Amino acid sequence: MTTQPSAQDETLQRFFDGDLPSEEAARVQRQLDEDPDLAERYARLTRLSRLVRAAAEEMADQVSYNELYARVQRGIEAEKQPRGLLATLKELLVHRPQVWVPAAGAVAMTAAVLLTVLGPGDEQPTATPQPPQAAPETATAAPSSDSEIVAVDFGHRTGTVFEVSGVGGGSTPVVWINDTSDGK
Amino acid sequence: MASWQRAGATEDSQPIMNESDGSTSKGSEEVRKSRNDRELVERVQTGDERAFRELFDAYHRRAFSVAVGVVKNPQDAMDIVQDAFVKVHKHIHGFKGTSSFYTWLYRIVMNLAIDHVRKAQNAAHADYDERSGRQADNAAGDGALLPRIMDSNPGKTVARRELTRHMQAALDTLPEHHRAVILLREIEGMSYEEMAETLEVPKGTIMSRLFHARKKMQQTLEAYLEGDLQIEESS
């Protein structure tokens, strides 16, 4: 692929793709009428275009689009389901290495909060934490008996803080970080 | 069978001229389509799921064709189109309309597809032998690319199957970014500017990639471009 396009190549391609102003396009059209070689090159572009589209249609006809839409719907529903903190962090670490630092920060923040609110001798919670419906940018926790989380800064992510009951009747605040909400 | 609606050119790629400003234009059909997309996006943003289905119906075939051209496997392409529409649904409330809906959609599709290709290339270093065997199966015509042929005309069926196999082989000779450009141009009918926006590269890069992609594909598909072989695009 070392061949560089000539000026005529570029003009012909732009004409073919509808990228030329009308005056220049009319000039190229006249050249096509007069120059069989140029007309053949144009014809080859046209044939290639038809072949690509014909092959694309052939491939597209093999797909069940109702099934595909059903899959999209399931994907949308799955996105609406709350995700566990570990699953979210795992995804961040596996698929988005560029956010290791914020993710690690989130882990550290969560650990710090848990350590702060768990006094010595407190029991670990056994109930599975259920995420809340709302996901504010910054959440304020319910007060705990021994300590209190005033606020948690989630940065560009969202989440909330809530309590789960422990075996011995105590409760443990949990920081819940939701999935990312960026654009793409 | 549906046929493709191309922008910027008619069926035979004759440019549509805009006499008023002296430049080629996408034509009134494209303007109408763009306006319709904007309305559909606004309806989806208000929670109208039927509007989302309309957007899906308008673009899923071409999105699939573009994706399968890049990743070369229909199942992977299905996954990519699925993920793309899930992302569209998830983020459409933040879509401001500064670009057209379909350049946004195809940017998502292309990012997912090219990301998939790169991951596959990395994985290929680990299991080269296994992949070679699978590609050999596909080259034999029994791979996943064309698992079913619905056409009742055996001659046409064979011709189309052959064409698709050769097209796949021709696309295989191109780097993924060149495949992306020729597919967006020929299948979606995007202008250079739209492709530049979708792929986030300068217009000159688009033109260069398109030139080289066409040149290479013309060489690979020489037999189809020389002869009188007629391939119907729709039935």
Side-chain angles (χ1 to χ4, degrees):
Chain A
M1 287 201 187
T2 54
T3 308
Q4 293 305 307
S6 66
Q8 191 181 49
D9 287 332
E10 184 179 322
T11 302
L12 183 64
Q13 177 171 276
R14 289 184 62 201
F15 175 78
F16 179 77
D17 291 326
D19 191 60
L20 288 181
S22 57
E23 273 186 24
E24 201 173 347
R27 184 178 58 78
V28 174
Q29 183 61 62
R30 284 194 298 275
Q31 289 178 335
L32 283 171
D33 294 340
E34 296 164 359
D35 184 343
D37 289 340
L38 190 65
E40 173 57 21
R41 285 163 58 194
Y42 181 87
R44 286 168 63 86
L45 288 172
T46 303
R47 288 185 210 126
L48 177 64
S49 177
R50 286 177 173 169
L51 287 175
V52 172
R53 281 180 281 151
E57 287 204 19
E58 186 64 51
M59 287 187 272
D61 281 343
Q62 311 308 315
V63 175
S64 165
Y65 291 106
N66 282 331
E67 180 195 331
L68 179 56
Y69 189 70
R71 287 174 53 173
V72 170
Q73 290 295 92
R74 286 197 294 272
I76 291 169
E77 288 305 313
E79 283 288 335
K80 290 176 182 172
Q81 298 300 314
R83 302 166 56 118
L85 176 63
L86 285 177
T88 302
L89 291 176
K90 184 180 174 188
E91 183 190 77
L92 284 170
L93 293 170
V94 171
H95 297 296
R96 300 185 178 209
Q98 70 274 21
V99 294
W100 276 23
V101 171
V107 172
M109 178 183 70
T110 304
V113 170
L114 287 172
L115 286 173
T116 303
V117 299
L118 284 172
D122 279 354
E123 292 182 85
Q124 294 296 322
T126 55
T128 302
Q130 296 300 313
Q133 295 299 313
E137 292 282 336
T138 302
T140 303
S144 166
S145 56
D146 298 319
S147 59
E148 180 179 351
I149 302 170
V150 177
V152 177
D153 182 7
F154 293 104
H156 67 287
R157 302 175 65 80
T158 60
T160 191
V161 180
F162 56 100
E163 288 190 345
V164 293
S165 299
V167 172
S171 64
T172 302
V174 174
V175 177
W176 191 277
I177 302 173
N178 290 325
D179 192 11
T180 181
S181 60
D182 62 0
K184 293 172 190 172
Chain B
M1 186 189 299
S3 59
W4 308 115
Q5 176 67 49
R6 301 185 66 210
T10 64
E11 190 68 13
D12 290 327
S13 290
Q14 298 289 347
I16 300 170
M17 303 299 175
N18 185 335
E19 298 298 339
S20 61
D21 64 6
S23 64
T24 53
S25 77
K26 292 200 281 182
S28 58
E29 175 64 20
E30 284 305 303
V31 172
R32 187 198 61 75
K33 193 174 80 173
S34 176
R35 193 178 300 134
N36 189 43
D37 284 355
R38 215 161 39 238
E39 290 169 3
L40 288 172
V41 167
E42 287 171 3
R43 282 170 53 196
V44 177
Q45 287 173 333
T46 62
D48 186 342
E49 290 300 317
R50 283 179 304 178
F52 179 72
R53 175 73 200 225
E54 286 187 52
L55 284 172
F56 176 85
D57 288 344
Y59 289 107
H60 62 257
R61 276 177 63 89
R62 285 172 291 179
F64 173 81
S65 295
V66 169
V68 79
V70 175
V71 301
K72 300 183 281 186
N73 178 298
Q75 293 306 320
D76 293 340
M78 288 267 280
D79 290 343
I80 284 164
V81 175
Q82 175 193 340
D83 289 350
F85 275 99
V86 170
K87 280 180 182 289
V88 164
H89 191 275
K90 183 177 179 182
H91 299 296
I92 202 162
H93 293 282
F95 179 69
K96 305 294 184 196
T98 51
S99 63
S100 67
F101 169 77
Y102 80 107
T103 58
W104 181 54
L105 169 66
Y106 282 108
R107 192 182 310 151
I108 295 172
V109 171
M110 278 303 174
N111 285 341
L112 289 169
I114 289 173
D115 191 44
H116 176 90
V117 170
R118 286 176 178 165
K119 282 179 183 167
Q121 285 170 345
N122 290 337
H125 292 295
D127 60 350
Y128 175 79
D129 290 341
E130 185 194 346
R131 285 177 59 80
S132 297
R134 203 179 312 137
Q135 284 166 356
D137 288 344
N138 286 345
D142 295 326
L145 183 62
L146 281 178
R148 293 180 292 123
I149 298 294
M150 308 293 285
D151 202 311
S152 59
N153 182 327
K156 196 190 293 181
T157 296
V158 171
R160 284 181 170 171
R161 190 169 191 167
E162 274 293 293
L163 164 66
T164 310
R165 192 168 67 83
H166 281 99
M167 185 60 63
Q168 185 71 23
L171 286 169
D172 283 353
T173 66
L174 304 177
E176 64 262 24
H177 283 110
H178 290 204
R179 286 204 295 270
V181 170
I182 198 164
L183 292 165
L184 288 175
R185 175 59 213 161
E186 303 297 4
I187 295 174
E188 181 51 45
M190 282 189 180
S191 68
Y192 297 155
E193 287 80 6
E194 288 169 333
M195 287 189 281
E197 185 181 322
T198 299
L199 299 174
E200 297 175 303
V201 295
K203 179 180 172 180
T205 303
I206 293 294
M207 292 170 66
S208 173
R209 286 178 182 174
L210 192 54
F211 173 80
H212 289 297
R214 281 171 167 158
K215 202 83 176 168
K216 187 80 175 176
M217 290 195 71
Q218 283 177 349
Q219 290 168 359
T220 312
L221 296 168
E222 191 64 43
Y224 284 93
L225 298 174
E226 289 289 333
D228 298 326
L229 183 61
Q230 296 294 313
I231 301 293
E232 294 182 24
E233 291 182 51
S234 60
S235 60

